[in-house]
Amino acid sequence: ATLLAGDGRPMHKSWGNMIEFNEAADRMGVDVMRWVFFAHKPENDLLFSYDRADEVRRQFLLPLWNVYSFFVTYANIDGWTPDRSAPSDSPLDRWIVARLNQVVRGCTSALESYDSFSTTHIVGAFLGDLTNWYVRRSRPRFWKSEQNEDKNAAYSTLYHVLTTLVRVLAPLTPFVAEVMYQNLVRQVDTRAPESVHHCYWPEVDADVIDEE
């Protein structure tokens, strides 16, 4: 439909409600701006404002960055590096991996239909599960003094989730996905593709989606 100012009126300089593209890109960040457009049904009018950008940053970008920062901080403290360990038997780990594969399945279907609106809702719901349920309930595992099997499983699971999620986010928020990929993947594996945008789209592992 139509792009309108945050007050619901057409943008006009004389009304003081006009936002220049370059100004918006510099002030709110292009990934935030992209998410504003993606998380909107194109048949509806879009009210474009800095308040809406702040909402996106608060509800999506900051939680994403916080869980990424949480992982990097504690992995560096413990000197943890990725390995090829077997899948975890922890119900918590199995649950978040199942949810991740639900997300890949849902986002694949939505984006193949050019439905970015549904994609953002699928990712947003998963991010809530990841931060409010998985990470919050796994903190004692990361805080253990001993580097035991359970702690390593928590690291491996969260690493798998984050490195898969950045590939899903790459077409939507290309810059933050690239920063996360470079630190999570390229810094520890120089044989990996040079950019997240050179990676294959993740495939669904239906065997780990245990609906029950």
Side-chain angles (χ1 to χ4, degrees):
T2 305
L3 178 68
L4 301 173
D7 58 11
R9 299 186 299 170
M11 290 187 183
H12 290 293
K13 282 186 176 181
S14 60
W15 292 349
N17 64 353
M18 183 174 176
I19 300 177
E20 294 282 356
F21 174 85
N22 289 336
E23 175 194 331
D26 289 340
R27 180 169 164 182
M28 67 177 61
V30 289
D31 278 346
V32 170
M33 184 189 293
R34 289 169 66 92
W35 197 264
V36 168
F37 281 93
F38 283 135
H40 181 78
K41 288 187 175 181
E43 62 267 29
N44 297 334
D45 291 338
L46 172 59
L47 304 186
F48 190 81
S49 68
Y50 289 117
D51 289 341
R52 175 73 182 112
D54 290 340
E55 182 182 338
V56 167
R57 189 179 295 106
R58 184 178 65 254
Q59 294 181 353
F60 166 68
L61 202 58
L62 287 179
L64 173 66
W65 193 261
N66 285 343
V67 68
Y68 158 76
S69 179
F70 173 87
F71 171 82
V72 170
T73 298
Y74 285 97
N76 285 336
I77 289 173
D78 288 325
W80 184 88
T81 54
D83 57 24
R84 299 285 182 179
S85 57
S88 171
D89 290 330
S90 163
L92 196 59
D93 293 342
R94 289 173 54 209
W95 171 73
I96 199 63
V97 171
R99 284 287 292 116
L100 175 69
N101 279 271
Q102 288 177 330
V103 167
V104 173
R105 182 178 62 187
C107 289
T108 301
S109 176
L111 289 177
E112 284 178 346
S113 301
Y114 299 96
D115 182 3
S116 63
F117 174 77
S118 294
T119 304
T120 61
H121 280 262
I122 292 169
V123 171
F126 176 72
L127 192 56
D129 285 346
L130 181 62
T131 58
N132 296 325
W133 288 91
Y134 181 77
V135 170
R136 184 171 294 178
R137 280 150 185 79
S138 294
R139 281 175 182 167
R141 303 167 70 196
F142 292 100
W143 292 341
K144 289 178 180 177
S145 56
E146 68 274 19
Q147 195 78 19
N148 61 9
E149 186 176 337
D150 182 59
K151 187 175 187 178
N152 188 61
Y155 273 124
S156 296
T157 299
L158 187 52
Y159 181 79
H160 170 66
V161 169
L162 288 172
T163 53
T164 303
L165 187 60
V166 295
R167 286 187 285 158
V168 173
L169 289 173
L172 305 172
T173 53
F175 297 99
V176 69
E178 180 69 7
V179 169
M180 293 170 63
Y181 175 83
Q182 290 297 323
N183 195 27
L184 290 172
V185 179
R186 281 285 293 175
Q187 194 168 32
V188 296
D189 183 7
T190 56
R191 297 169 299 177
E194 291 186 12
S195 168
V196 69
H197 305 293
H198 297 171
C199 296
Y200 286 109
W201 181 259
E203 295 184 4
V204 178
D205 185 355
D207 292 338
V208 303
I209 303 179
D210 184 345
E211 299 290 353
E212 183 178 352

